[in-house]
Amino acid sequence: MEVRTDLYLGDSAEQLKKLPDNSVDLIVTSPPYADQRKNTYGGIHPDKYVEWFLPISKELLRVLKPTGTFILNIKEKVVEGERSTYVMELIIEMKKQGWLWTEEFIWHKKNCYPGKWSNRFRDAWERLLQFNKERKFHMYQEEVMVPMGDWAKSRLKNLSDTDKIRDNSKVGSGFGKNISNWLTRDKAYPTNVLHLATECSNKNHSAAFPEELPEWFIKLFTKENDTVLDPFMGSGTTLIVANRMLRNSIGIEIMPEYYDMVKEQLKPVELYLLEPKVKYGNFEPERRSKVR
Ligand SMILES: C[S@@+](CC[C@H](N)C(=O)[O-])C[C@H]1O[C@@H](n2cnc3c(N)ncnc32)[C@H](O)[C@@H]1O
């Protein structure tokens, strides 16, 4: 099987125009946060953030398939002792643009080191906002099931009467649960909180994703041969993982040094064929990648 990787150097607002309508199954990305990391790739002022992002999200809406999903990693910063509201404003404006805001996952940074501020504690989580074009989108929930764990043993030992029948929600939501249904199962569906360490290995990028982050969403929302896009690719974590998982991938990056770095890392079809175990883990030789 051959998977394809397309890389573009430049501003996403422009480069995205080169992609056809309804051609992407999943977008996973972490744009620069407002006013941060000024020394590396330029910050956008919190007051200008929505205005800056909307032309990009408009293009993303166009290129995403109706069954596709957009995962946006973002977190509002603190400005003069207050949390800024640009993420909330962005959600509202994206809804007006035509997006459905379908879910919010929390990325809990479980290896967050200690710190002390006078008026708050150390920030140990970020938002992963999920947007869709349609209410019915592809979602392969069985792919991300987790071991039931010890919780089940203790919880299921003492089943109450309501646990043994379907216990309908008291708030009339239409949801119900029958705990005893889970007695014989060894896997459960995960929650919307992802406990992942931040990336520590020397990725040559100050804000790289841990590989598990794109991996989890790629499993949940795509199948082999689908197409994954990261319009702010940085060190290319999303593309590298997509490639390994036999998904086609598209990356856009404004900084030539990151673009070149990713290109170098994803380039060598021939090299990969020569040293599959060294360079590409457990890939089988017929699984190759082409970078354009
Ligand atoms: C937070 S980093 C992404 C890190 C990435 N998730 C990774 O794992 O390495 C954001 C990236 O977006 C790039 N960038 C900033 N503005 C851009 C724009 N208008 N178009 C394309 N890329 C941009 C930056 O150079 C930076 O590498």
Side-chain angles (χ1 to χ4, degrees):
M1 184 188 293
E2 185 175 277
V3 287
R4 186 185 157 128
T5 305
D6 290 294
L7 303 180
Y8 296 87
L9 172 64
D11 186 341
S12 268
E14 289 310 312
Q15 299 300 316
L16 280 166
K17 292 180 183 156
K18 298 178 180 167
L19 306 185
D21 297 356
N22 303 319
S23 56
V24 169
D25 296 279
L26 174 66
I27 303 162
V28 183
T29 202
S30 175
Y33 293 1
D35 243 2
Q36 290 194 338
R37 307 188 189 282
K38 269 192 190 138
N39 301 333
T40 49
Y41 43 74
I44 297 108
H45 192 276
D47 294 346
K48 300 272 176 217
Y49 201 86
V50 174
E51 193 184 311
W52 170 75
F53 198 77
L54 283 179
I56 295 171
S57 56
K58 185 172 171 229
E59 285 301 308
L60 296 176
L61 186 65
R62 181 183 66 73
V63 303
L64 189 68
K65 290 182 187 170
T67 50
T69 289
F70 173 22
I71 299 293
L72 177 60
N73 170 220
I74 199 162
K75 179 81 186 251
E76 50 279 83
K77 65 171 297 193
V78 174
V79 182
E80 291 172 8
E82 265 195 292
R83 281 276 173 208
S84 171
T85 55
Y86 66 88
V87 177
M88 279 103 184
E89 287 154 29
L90 182 62
I91 295 169
I92 292 166
E93 290 305 316
M94 283 178 64
K95 278 169 65 73
K96 288 184 197 158
Q97 202 170 44
W99 289 100
L100 303 175
W101 180 31
T102 42
E103 179 54 305
E104 176 170 51
F105 295 86
I106 296 297
W107 168 16
H108 166 222
K109 299 172 166 186
K110 63 178 184 177
N111 63 340
C112 193
Y113 51 84
K116 167 87 176 71
W117 283 259
S118 60
N119 57 357
R120 66 191 66 245
F121 292 122
R122 188 162 177 80
D123 202 351
W125 64 275
E126 291 191 18
R127 299 173 188 282
L128 294 157
L129 301 173
Q130 180 185 339
F131 295 95
N132 292 89
K133 278 170 97 155
E134 307 273 345
R135 267 164 234 288
K136 279 201 170 184
F137 46 86
H138 290 321
M139 189 177 190
Y140 309 103
Q141 300 193 358
E142 272 62 32
E143 298 298 320
V144 294
M145 288 186 92
V146 290
M148 189 67 99
D150 292 341
W151 164 86
K153 284 190 206 119
S154 51
R155 176 68 177 88
L156 298 176
K157 217 169 7 184
N158 306 310
L159 289 181
S160 68
D161 287 344
T162 47
D163 284 346
K164 291 174 196 156
I165 53 168
R166 186 178 153 90
D167 182 18
N168 286 320
S169 158
K170 311 273 182 301
V171 295
S173 65
F175 287 101
K177 62 180 190 302
N178 182 345
I179 300 269
S180 65
N181 275 346
W182 294 91
L183 255 178
T184 53
R185 304 196 192 169
D186 54 6
K187 291 221 166 161
Y189 295 104
T191 69
N192 55 6
V193 180
L194 275 66
H195 303 276
L196 302 173
T198 47
E199 183 52 60
C200 303
S201 60
N202 58 341
K203 276 287 218 41
N204 300 323
H205 197 291
S206 52
F209 279 148
E211 291 195 357
E212 294 85 349
L213 194 152
E215 184 182 77
W216 196 81
F217 288 107
I218 290 171
K219 270 196 233 162
L220 181 57
F221 292 118
T222 68
K223 287 184 161 156
E224 279 185 15
N225 258 319
D226 279 356
T227 298
V228 180
L229 162 69
D230 188 340
F232 301 95
M233 77 173 171
S235 63
T237 318
T238 304
L239 281 82
I240 289 160
V241 173
N243 197 266
R244 193 164 65 208
M245 294 170 72
L246 302 177
R247 272 66 167 176
N248 300 303
S249 53
I250 305 168
I252 307 172
E253 173 57 51
I254 205 164
M255 301 268 290
E257 55 263 51
Y258 294 139
Y259 170 86
D260 290 342
M261 192 170 85
V262 178
K263 196 162 184 178
E264 190 56 33
Q265 233 180 323
L266 283 169
K267 180 181 61 181
V269 177
E270 303 81 352
L271 188 62
Y272 148 64
L273 287 170
L274 286 174
E275 348 168 47
K277 290 273 184 270
V278 182
K279 278 264 160 197
Y280 293 87
N282 293 324
F283 265 13
E284 289 152 28
E286 70 272 18
R287 295 178 166 187
R288 54 170 75 188
S289 162
K290 271 202 177 159
V291 181
R292 281 144 178 109

